[in-house]
Amino acid sequence: MNIGLVGVGTVGSAVADILEKNKALIAARAGKEIRILKGVVKNIARKRELPFPVISNYKEITEDKEIDVVVELMGGVDAAYDVIKSALANKKAVITANKALLAYHRYDLQKLLNGAPFGFEASVAGGIPIIRALKEGLGANHIESIKGIINGTCNYMLTRMQAKRITFDQALKEAQGLGYAEADPSFDIGGFDAAHKLLILASLAYDIDAKPDDILIEGLGHLSDEDIEFAEEFGYTIKSLAIAKKVGSKVSLRVHPALVSKKSMIAKIDGVMNGISVVGDKVGETFYYGPGAGGEATASSVIADLIAIARGEQTPMLGFSSGGEGGITLAKKDDIESKYYLRVLVEDMAGVLARIAQVLANNNISIDTVLQRKKRVQKEWANLLLSTHIARETDINEAMREIATLGFVKSPPVMLRIDV
Ligand SMILES: NC(=O)c1ccc[n+]([C@@H]2O[C@H](COP(=O)([O-])OP(=O)(O)OC[C@H]3O[C@@H](n4cnc5c(N)ncnc54)[C@H](OP(=O)(O)O)[C@@H]3O)[C@@H](O)[C@H]2O)c1
């Protein structure tokens, strides 16, 4: 089977390397040899040690009659979409690791397939075979929830901030130094990368055609030492979670930092590793753990797709042969329900707690626990730490707005969701 690599960077060169090093094993599994005929790169002048020629025009791959599979590993949305459309128009099988492209165009691509195999195992959680688990292994189940740590950069930073009590900026600098965070990290720490992956998983579980703007996405930006201390003291750890949760016929999709019980499996995923819990109505909870990024781990998933194509395996791209999960629709952001943790910096005087409790009650929110902490640097100020029972997103947002306007409140209140 002949392939063309469009993009020979971190992942593309690892694909080439593994195909060479594990050649005999892969051929035995695939039932045929898999050969790279050529690759496309941007900077054609750069010297590279590759056992195949590189070119700059992708059409020399997508229109080449000798090539059976086009592997898109260049990234970006529009240019990659053009490459894949050209490959499909020329009746090639396609593999991509491009979650950003799939977050926007997976349903458009599904319409263009015309029977062509389309693999994207590498697009979510790098080396973890979560796409196959949802499409195949868990096929008998209604999926009740998916809860994942699917951005290694955020998880690395949170792990370090909690274990070493370093600041957000220090953790980011460390992550960049180790190559875990991009020079522009906003995509990862803003939650967008995890959101793209969550949208792909939600299609496989529920056939939900949502785009990033349709779902709740919150980054790490506002975490402080006080929140981390509170979490520690009450048996929580803070994780950035991507969550799909079905309640009745509605599914909520969201990415945000959350307080997670230290006893849960997901709390134990540290550093750059990824972990995903999937609950099926028949199987119960299943859990997937492994490297979510890196050249070799991601290439491992790309090659799994190549082997499947070589074997002639053909599964519906988004996991459903016809219809979907049956009337399941996306919940509105405002209707999402959670328990919440609030931190309000106040002037330390009588009546403050009663006034805040009143605002919460007026917005249908009942308080679970309350703690008061003196602010170390400013003795006449105190942090009020509250946790709530289950409440609606729209109510908590309104309460936060009202609390921010109270005269004795010294800075905008902080809200974190508590994972239940
Ligand atoms: N890296 C990971 O750990 C990881 C994990 C999961 C998924 N992914 C996904 O895998 C894809 C590739 O990631 P990567 O980390 O391998 O990226 P990368 O190291 O930046 O490599 C990109 C490759 O594509 C080429 N390229 C970029 N724009 C091009 C253009 N307009 N025309 C022709 N060639 C172009 C580059 O050429 P030059 O070599 O000349 O620069 C390079 O060879 C992305 O969609 C990414 O989201 C990556």
Side-chain angles (χ1 to χ4, degrees):
M1 187 170 80
N2 294 330
I3 71 172
L5 283 184
V6 182
V8 195
T10 305
V11 182
S13 54
V15 168
D17 196 46
I18 297 172
L19 282 177
E20 184 53 37
K21 287 194 179 127
N22 289 358
K23 194 177 186 164
L25 170 81
I26 291 167
R29 291 217 160 105
K32 54 182 76 153
E33 212 178 291
I34 298 173
R35 284 176 300 267
I36 302 174
L37 290 199
K38 46 191 150 176
V40 167
V41 294
K42 197 171 188 175
N43 180 359
I44 200 84
R46 179 141 55 94
K47 211 173 142 30
R48 307 168 199 250
E49 304 258 324
L50 292 168
F52 50 85
V54 288
I55 50 174
S56 60
N57 179 2
Y58 71 82
K59 291 200 170 158
E60 288 179 40
I61 283 184
T62 57
E63 293 176 4
D64 184 337
K65 292 204 164 39
E66 297 288 302
I67 286 181
D68 305 298
V69 188
V70 173
V71 183
E72 184 278 305
L73 297 171
M74 63 187 249
V77 176
D78 294 337
Y81 191 31
D82 288 342
V83 170
I84 293 180
K85 280 191 288 189
S86 170
L88 293 173
N90 286 285
K91 301 197 167 19
K92 310 292 183 200
V94 170
I95 292 173
T96 181
N98 192 331
K99 56 252 174 180
L101 166 76
L102 293 170
Y104 289 95
H105 293 302
R106 59 201 184 284
Y107 285 90
D108 306 320
L109 286 168
Q110 185 177 239
K111 285 191 198 122
L112 296 176
L113 288 187
N114 225 346
F118 191 100
F120 53 103
E121 184 64 72
S123 65
V124 181
I128 305 175
I130 187 67
I131 306 281
R132 262 183 190 74
L134 282 166
K135 267 169 79 162
E136 297 169 35
L138 300 176
N141 292 264
H142 291 285
I143 302 301
E144 293 180 344
S145 69
I146 300 172
K147 192 185 295 175
I149 292 175
I150 49 179
N151 183 277
T153 309
C154 288
N155 203 46
Y156 177 81
M157 289 175 59
L158 286 172
T159 304
R160 295 291 294 165
M161 285 163 71
Q162 291 170 97
K164 297 286 166 198
R165 291 292 154 85
I166 58 175
T167 63
F168 179 90
D169 291 338
Q170 287 168 325
L172 178 58
K173 206 172 260 178
E174 253 190 39
Q176 284 171 326
L178 290 164
Y180 299 152
E182 307 279 333
D184 173 5
S186 52
F187 209 65
D188 288 315
I189 60 182
F192 303 105
D193 174 75
H196 290 166
K197 296 166 184 168
L198 178 66
L199 289 167
I200 296 169
L201 298 181
S203 286
L204 300 169
Y206 308 108
D207 192 24
I208 282 191
D209 181 4
K211 304 268 189 312
D213 281 347
D214 302 327
I215 70 170
L216 193 158
I217 306 173
E218 234 173 61
L220 296 188
H222 56 284
L223 290 180
S224 77
D225 293 358
E226 281 120 334
D227 305 318
I228 288 172
E229 266 177 43
F230 172 86
E232 181 72 35
E233 191 170 327
F234 286 86
Y236 293 115
T237 182
I238 300 176
K239 294 287 182 193
S240 178
L241 297 181
I243 300 172
K245 190 163 185 183
K246 182 162 71 114
V247 178
S249 62
K250 295 281 179 194
V251 171
S252 60
L253 299 179
R254 51 207 168 101
V255 173
H256 54 68
L259 298 171
V260 176
S261 164
K262 276 191 177 164
K263 293 189 187 130
S264 65
M265 296 267 282
I266 204 108
K268 298 180 172 50
I269 312 302
D270 281 336
V272 281
M273 298 306 275
N274 281 195
I276 307 168
S277 152
V278 181
V279 178
D281 65 340
K282 298 302 165 204
V283 69
E285 182 173 20
T286 61
F287 202 89
Y288 309 84
Y289 172 82
E296 288 203 327
T298 310
S300 163
S301 287
V302 170
I303 294 172
D305 282 341
L306 280 169
I307 292 171
I309 291 170
R311 286 170 172 166
E313 288 175 18
Q314 181 75 298
T315 54
M317 176 185 163
L318 295 174
F320 292 92
S321 294
S322 61
E325 234 268 60
I328 302 267
T329 53
L330 183 66
K332 289 197 195 113
K333 292 182 212 180
D334 276 353
D335 291 339
I336 290 172
E337 291 188 336
S338 178
K339 288 174 91 170
Y340 297 88
Y341 152 82
L342 307 179
R343 176 168 55 80
V344 194
L345 182 61
V346 295
E347 234 171 278
D348 192 7
M349 58 189 211
V352 161
L353 176 60
R355 185 74 189 89
I356 288 177
Q358 189 187 18
V359 172
L360 291 173
N362 290 347
N363 285 288
N364 315 306
I365 299 162
S366 70
I367 296 173
D368 185 11
T369 55
V370 181
L371 258 179
Q372 182 168 328
R373 286 285 153 79
K374 289 269 184 211
K375 185 92 180 141
R376 285 179 213 107
V377 279
Q378 190 103 14
K379 284 216 185 65
E380 64 277 19
W381 292 2
N383 261 315
L384 268 187
L385 308 168
L386 301 112
S387 69
T388 74
H389 291 292
I390 295 272
R392 276 174 77 218
E393 196 74 15
T394 186
D395 293 334
I396 202 84
N397 286 335
E398 179 52 32
M400 295 281 285
R401 268 190 293 275
E402 289 178 26
I403 289 169
T405 65
L406 298 173
F408 54 79
V409 171
K410 295 295 163 197
S411 61
V414 171
M415 177 269 278
L416 283 169
R417 295 164 190 86
I418 301 175
D419 179 50
V420 281

